[in-house]
Amino acid sequence: MYRCAPASVLLAFATSIACLSPAQAQTHRPFPAYALRGELIVQQVPEVRLNGQPARLAPGSRMRSESHMLLQPASVAGQKLIVHYTVEPTSGLLQDIWVLNAAELANKVWPRSAQEAATLVFEPGTQTWSKR
């Protein structure tokens, strides 16, 4: 009797995933206000190039795909990716990385440096930046 319950829960979950429309998958994810935009190329993990400069992934860093699934950095080695990223304040290593989807790429105004972010205002509800 109890063996049927897990199967029904799994079936309900699979059905809900299958019913997602492509429009739902292309929504804005909530990014922190201190996330910056950049161009990332994974080389030999943990070595990467960020905006053409050498950088390094932090131990325990997380990379998310366009659909917000965990992504292994080695699986995208050599690809040029447009990402939002956060940096550990003490070490300067890359901590969180999100590969942007089409809806997020359409948001053209996003700071590429902390200096640029200081001249803009972030609206967390709409995930947009505007001039002060």
Side-chain angles (χ1 to χ4, degrees):
M1 181 157 187
Y2 289 110
R3 289 180 281 175
C4 296
S8 64
V9 169
L10 256 169
L11 180 62
F13 177 73
T15 304
S16 68
I17 295 295
C19 293
L20 288 177
S21 69
Q24 289 172 316
Q26 295 294 311
T27 59
H28 287 278
R29 294 172 278 183
F31 298 112
Y34 52 89
L36 302 173
R37 183 175 286 186
E39 182 180 278
L40 181 82
I41 300 173
V42 177
Q43 296 177 321
Q44 177 98 13
V45 177
E47 303 297 327
V48 298
R49 292 195 71 73
L50 180 64
N51 300 325
Q53 301 297 316
R56 199 171 171 90
L57 299 175
S61 63
R62 292 172 299 272
M63 183 179 272
R64 300 264 179 190
S65 70
E66 298 94 337
S67 59
H68 204 64
M69 301 294 288
L70 280 176
L71 185 64
Q72 295 299 319
S75 69
V76 292
Q79 297 178 30
K80 190 181 294 185
L81 306 168
I82 305 299
V83 299
H84 284 168
Y85 65 93
T86 61
V87 177
E88 283 187 345
T90 55
S91 66
L93 300 175
L94 297 175
Q95 182 62 45
D96 293 303
I97 301 166
W98 298 270
V99 178
L100 301 182
N101 62 38
E104 294 157 349
L105 283 169
N107 185 2
K108 298 291 184 193
V109 179
W110 199 280
R112 295 184 171 269
S113 69
Q115 295 81 10
E116 188 179 350
T119 65
L120 301 171
V121 176
F122 183 63
E123 176 57 48
T126 60
Q127 292 288 295
T128 57
W129 289 86
S130 58
K131 298 257 182 204
R132 287 186 185 259

